[in-house]
Amino acid sequence: MLRLELARRCAANEGYSLRAFARFLRTDHASLSQILRGKRRLSEATIRRLGARLGLDERRVEELVFVERSAEKHPGAVDVAAVHELTGRALESLSNWHDWAILELTRLECFTPDVRWISRVLDGSPDDVQRALHRLVSLGFLEMRARDRWTDRTGHVLENAEQFAAAAVERLAEELHELAVRSLRRRHRDRFAHSATTIAVDAASVPLAILRLEQLRAELLRTLESADKRDAVYYLAISFFPIAEPQTEGEPPWDVRS
Amino acid sequence: MGCPIVTWQIISKNPEGASKFYTELFGWSVSDNNALMYRTVDTCSEAGIGGGIWPAPPGAQSFVQLFAEVDDVAATVEQAVAKGARVIVPPQKLPDGDEMAVLLDPDGMSFGVMHSGRD
């Protein structure tokens, strides 16, 4: 959660740093760095203090306290190294203007898929361009389909560095979610449900489908929240969005998420 | 078929320096005449295999990655993940037609899998 918040702040402000984040949280940057790297556990009091600084509601704070206590009881359940690595990659991309500039270049008619050409246009070293390409491919932002066909896979029209940063944060959140699901799958095969499918639909039936999903979500939450005893925290996400449509340019995807 | 190690890669903090060092030490030949300016290394010997040099991410130490040839890169990645590996670079077509992916094994050591697109 702290990592994502830091990533969001870096995305919104190019000059934002770990030190600035530590100042905001009223903690020293060395401690914050250790926490972000998973080298230091958070006490319940610290979670409550940081939660208050970040404006989290009480329920979210209780969830975080529960997760931290679970991690203490089951060391290794949370893949800290993997989370750190993912975050590091995304933050590197956020702080390096070459990355979004390369994606911008791929849209030009004159784009030449060649490191020499890119480094000349961006006035950067070939090594830096190679590092940027590695990050973009790792994050799934760039695909090299053929010798002469490098494709921007962000699915966004990225007008500037801020939009690229937002996309990087979005991708980071997706990857962290997938990581959490994989981690749970390994540990609790019988205690989670996760499925996805792709179907062709009649566009006219979509509003009804969304309504049904919202009803299902509300009913499920009512059922789960009616329990007196609560001893686990689960993540529920319901997504339903178009992958391909005949003509709906400019419309946002439908997304019901809890 | 088995899954032979078909190439290696030096991930270097200083690729140009590494290239110069090994070229002078072993008499290897290095060429970057390709779209990625990837430094391919020819050891100038019929024995063993050639490799390449690629820049390390900022802050990372230099290291060597081994690449195993597999029939199906995506399927191998799935199997590896099921066994506790983590994906660093998802299955990806390279400009020359090869397909590759880079992973971390359960101990955190990085390795690659690839399928040659030139067969």
Side-chain angles (χ1 to χ4, degrees), chain A residues 100 103-104 106-107 152-167 170 249-250:
Chain A
W100 73 266
L103 290 181
E104 284 287 296
T106 62
R107 299 202 189 91
D152 171 4
R153 294 192 60 203
T154 55
H156 295 69
V157 179
L158 304 179
E159 297 291 347
N160 51 43
E162 284 71 32
Q163 288 182 11
F164 170 76
E170 194 177 303
E249 207 169 300

Side-chain angles (χ1 to χ4, degrees), chain A residues 167-252:
Chain A
V169 171
E170 194 177 303
R171 182 58 56 91
L172 172 64
E174 284 171 9
E175 290 198 38
L176 288 173
H177 175 221
E178 283 176 20
L179 185 70
V181 169
R182 282 204 300 273
S183 168
L184 280 170
R185 185 177 291 163
R186 280 202 298 273
R187 296 186 64 236
H188 303 299
R189 287 181 178 280
D190 57 338
R191 282 160 54 189
F192 80 98
H194 181 66
S195 65
T197 188
T198 304
I199 47 172
V201 301
D202 173 3
S205 67
V206 167
L208 178 62
I210 292 172
L211 179 65
R212 291 274 167 82
L213 287 173
E214 284 173 346
Q215 288 169 342
L216 170 68
R217 172 183 168 278
E219 187 186 329
L220 196 55
L221 288 180
R222 269 198 305 276
T223 304
L224 294 170
E225 288 177 344
S226 66
D228 294 332
K229 176 173 161 254
R230 297 189 189 187
D231 56 1
V233 177
Y234 268 67
Y235 176 80
L236 169 69
I238 303 172
S239 297
F240 179 58
F241 53 86
I243 292 173
E245 286 184 295
Q247 268 301 340
T248 51
E249 207 169 300
E251 284 185 15

Side-chain angles (χ1 to χ4, degrees), chain A residues 79 81-82 85 89 92 113-116 126-127 130-131 133-135 137-138 142-144 146-147 150 182, chain B residues 13 15 32-39 54-58 81 86-90 92-96 104:
Chain A
D79 195 342
E85 183 190 295
R89 250 188 288 154
E92 269 172 33
D114 187 291
V115 167
R116 285 177 190 79
D127 287 348
Q130 288 176 328
R131 288 188 180 99
L133 289 173
H134 180 83
R135 283 192 293 269
V137 170
S138 299
L142 181 71
E143 186 175 24
M144 298 172 181
R147 195 181 295 274
W150 296 7
R182 282 204 300 273
Chain B
K13 289 191 288 186
D32 65 359
N33 188 23
N34 54 73
L36 286 176
M37 285 185 75
Y38 182 69
R39 294 170 174 89
W54 186 256
V81 168
R86 298 204 301 271
V87 179
I88 300 296
V89 179
Q92 175 71 33
K93 284 263 187 200
L94 294 175
D96 60 5
L104 288 180

